[in-house]
């Protein structure tokens, strides 16, 4: 075959029409048409002068007659036809091998361009894709049954995104994997008071597993409990009008930490007492059934008429609270009987409701800040938060996340012995996770982040699209 390529090509070209005719005749032999009648012999005419006969020894080469008519070779037996077919197919495959090699690279390129799924050709920014993403987000939105409840519960709206409220509104579960192991998360109750003597209880029931380096400074499993006004930051004890007692035996307000009594650990019950009956506000605490010294006292006028709400901040601890919903308290309240009342048992008309979330996702707002690093985006976001407290804007950005990694009010960067770029990458991972959570909660957001990667850009666009 290789020595006579031209002869093979010629034989193949001449055998193609002959082989087609052979196959047709074979089919007629096997399945003759029922309605076909043989034409009378007298009506068949032949033109011997115009047909070139093929010698018996040259059956492999078929000559073409006048007007392109090819003389069919004598009918062969069925066994002979079956033997001839594989040989012809082999010759056809040989002739098309070269063409196949030429198109192989082209086909490979087309396969690489093909999508791996039937939906691959759909653009992510297409209107149908946006509707699909919004439908998924809307179907997984957080439950709103608690919003109109008159029971005192943990507030899902006045809550950090790295916290989850479970067990009917009385248990806090923070995220603790990856960079979340460095972060604090805080929240408040949905009702506060402006008068009377009230109390509530808190206990850490479990230390959650974390995956952070040994270079971590400070306690890795710790909580704070106390009181704050409705518009204060969730980082209890680190901002004005926010007071907290931590498990490290520290009492803090406005990031001023001072030694206070004793440490508390898992299963210890901490009772928070608030006395607002006089001209001064008095805060005190108790560990289990042991009273402690007075923690804070200040003029009631400093609150400017604002109510105080139970507040908790935690880091890697599963925390439960008792606002009076239990039939029996974990520890009896101190003082004379009836002196202090669980805040959940105060008549609803004497309580103050915290700000409620937007009624629907369509009412939520997302402000996407645009600008180079150092252009003043973070400063604008903080100022907007302060000037529009009724909006309850929640700022999302790596700076905000790292700010929640403080140790006793000191920025993490000042006491972090590891590689800062590694921690910053972990903060970016936390931000992407919080952006996913944000699409399922009824909140107003300020996105303070430069989108320099495709992942962060897609996560940011998902949050914006969910609010459309």
């Amino acid at each position: 075959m290789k020595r006579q390529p031209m002869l093979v090509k010629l034989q193949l070209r001449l055998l193609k029409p002959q082989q087609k005719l052979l196959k047709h005749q074979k089919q007629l032999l096997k399945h003759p048409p029922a309605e076909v009648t043989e034409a009378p012999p007298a009506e068949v005419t032949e033109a011997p002068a115009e047909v070139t006969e093929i010698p018996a020894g040259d059956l492999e080469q078929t000559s073409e007659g006048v007007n392109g008519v090819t003389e069919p070779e004598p009918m062969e037996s069925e066994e002979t036809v079956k033997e001839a077919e594989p040989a012809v197919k082999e010759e056809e495959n040989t002739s098309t091998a070269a063409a196949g090699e030429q198109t192989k690279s082209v086909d490979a390129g087309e396969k690489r361009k093909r999508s791996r799924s039937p939906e691959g050709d759909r653009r992510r920014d297409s209107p149908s894709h946006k509707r699909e993403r919004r439908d998924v987000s809307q179907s997984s939105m957080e439950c709103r049954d608690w919003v109109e409840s008159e029971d005192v519960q943990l507030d899902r709206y006045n809550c950090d995104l790295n916290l989850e409220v479970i067990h009917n509104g009385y248990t806090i579960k923070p995220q603790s994997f990856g960079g979340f192991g460095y972060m604090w998360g805080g929240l408040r109750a949905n009702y506060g008071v402006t008068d009377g003597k009230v109390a509530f209880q808190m206990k850490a029931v479990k230390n959650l597993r974390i995956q952070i380096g040994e270079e971590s400074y400070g306690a890795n499993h710790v909580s704070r409990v106390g009181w704050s006004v409705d518009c204060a930051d969730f980082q209890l004890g680190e901002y004005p009008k926010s007071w907290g007692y931590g498990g490290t035996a520290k009492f803090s307000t406005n990031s001023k930490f001072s030694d206070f009594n004793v440490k508390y650990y898992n299963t210890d019950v901490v009772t928070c007492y608030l006395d607002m009956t006089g001209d001064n506000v008095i805060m005190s605490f108790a560990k289990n059934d042991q009273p402690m010294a007075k923690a804070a006292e200040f003029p009631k006028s400093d609150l400017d008429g604002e109510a105080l709400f139970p507040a908790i901040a935690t880091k890697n601890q599963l925390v439960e609270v008792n606002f009076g919903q239990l039939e029996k308290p974990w520890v009896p309240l101190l003082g004379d009987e009836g002196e202090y009342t669980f805040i959940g048992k105060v008549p609803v008309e004497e309580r103050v409701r915290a700000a409620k979330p937007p009624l629907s996702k369509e009412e939520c707002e997302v402000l996407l800040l645009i600008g180079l690093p150092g252009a003043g985006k973070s400063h604008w976001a903080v100022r907007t938060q302060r000037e529009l407290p009724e909006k309850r804007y929640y700022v999302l950005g790596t700076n905000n996340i790292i700010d929640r990694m403080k140790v006793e009010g000191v920025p993490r960067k000042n006491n972090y012995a590891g590689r800062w770029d590694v921690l910053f990458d972990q903060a970016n991972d936390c931000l992407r996770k919080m952006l996913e959570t944000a699409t399922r909660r009824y909140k107003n957001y300020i996105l303070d982040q430069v989108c320099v990667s495709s992942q962060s850009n897609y996560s940011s666009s998902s949050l914006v699209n969910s609010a459309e």
Side-chain angles (χ1 to χ4, degrees), residues 2-32:
K2 294 183 179 179
R3 295 178 183 177
Q4 299 178 353
M6 295 301 297
L7 178 60
V8 170
K9 292 181 181 180
L10 178 61
Q11 289 177 341
L12 182 61
R13 188 185 65 179
L14 296 177
L15 284 173
K16 282 183 179 179
Q18 181 181 4
Q19 185 61 29
K20 290 181 180 179
L21 185 58
L22 284 173
K23 290 180 180 179
H24 180 65
Q25 291 174 347
K26 178 181 176 181
Q27 292 177 357
L28 290 177
L29 289 173
K30 288 184 177 182
H31 307 286

Side-chain angles (χ1 to χ4, degrees), residues 95-302:
S95 64
T96 56
E101 290 292 332
Q102 295 177 357
T103 60
K104 184 176 181 180
S105 59
V106 178
D107 293 341
E110 292 178 354
K111 289 181 180 179
R112 284 195 297 268
K113 294 179 182 179
R114 267 182 214 154
S115 173
R116 296 182 180 179
S117 66
E119 301 296 328
D121 295 334
R122 178 183 293 176
R123 295 182 58 188
R124 288 189 174 184
D125 56 350
S126 64
S128 60
H129 189 59
K130 290 182 180 179
R131 285 196 301 271
E132 181 178 339
R133 280 191 307 207
R134 286 200 296 270
D135 293 343
V136 172
S137 177
Q138 192 69 25
S139 63
S140 60
M141 292 296 293
E142 65 178 359
C143 178
R144 293 181 54 90
D145 296 343
W146 63 273
V147 176
E148 302 303 328
S149 174
E150 294 184 353
D151 297 331
V152 179
Q153 303 179 29
L154 295 170
D155 197 332
R156 285 81 154 175
Y157 177 55
N158 293 291
C159 173
D160 272 321
L161 291 180
N162 60 320
L163 297 183
E164 181 183 4
V165 177
I166 58 178
H167 295 169
N168 298 323
Y170 301 105
T171 304
I172 309 167
K173 182 181 179 181
Q175 297 182 21
S176 59
F177 59 88
F180 286 112
Y182 297 103
M183 287 181 61
W184 285 88
L187 79 170
R188 286 186 288 272
N190 58 347
Y191 281 95
V193 293
T194 58
D195 198 4
K197 300 176 75 171
V198 297
F200 75 97
Q201 296 176 334
M202 181 278 291
K203 67 176 179 180
V205 296
K206 181 181 179 181
N207 288 340
L208 302 178
R209 184 180 178 183
I210 58 175
Q211 297 176 345
I212 57 179
E214 296 180 356
E215 71 280 355
S216 177
Y217 174 76
N220 292 327
H221 298 89
V222 64
S223 297
R224 290 187 204 134
V225 61
W227 308 86
S228 73
V229 296
D230 189 27
C231 59
D233 193 277
F234 301 132
Q235 299 299 94
L236 185 63
E238 297 184 9
Y239 290 86
K241 299 182 180 181
S242 177
W243 298 265
Y245 166 42
T248 57
K250 298 287 184 179
F251 181 81
S252 61
T253 180
N254 198 16
S255 291
K256 297 177 181 178
F257 289 76
S258 58
D259 294 334
F260 178 74
N261 218 291
V262 295
K263 297 181 180 180
Y264 58 86
Y265 305 94
N266 282 1
T267 70
D268 285 334
V269 177
V270 178
T271 306
C272 308
Y273 295 94
L274 178 66
D275 183 358
M276 302 184 71
T277 55
D279 294 334
N280 288 347
V281 175
I282 301 174
M283 296 180 183
S284 58
F285 299 87
K287 175 185 174 181
N288 299 323
D289 57 353
Q290 300 175 3
M292 301 179 187
K294 182 172 54 178
E297 183 175 0
F298 55 90
K300 195 174 183 178
S301 58
D302 290 351

Side-chain angles (χ1 to χ4, degrees), residues 27-78:
Q27 292 177 357
L28 290 177
L29 289 173
K30 288 184 177 182
H31 307 286
E35 299 179 359
V36 176
T37 58
E38 186 176 356
E43 297 180 3
V44 178
T45 59
E46 297 181 359
E50 297 180 357
V51 177
T52 303
E53 296 183 358
I54 302 175
D58 297 331
L59 288 177
E60 294 183 357
Q61 300 182 14
T62 305
S63 60
E64 295 182 1
V66 181
N67 299 328
V69 179
T70 303
E71 177 71 11
E73 63 182 4
M75 288 294 297
E76 297 180 353
S77 65
E78 228 174 286

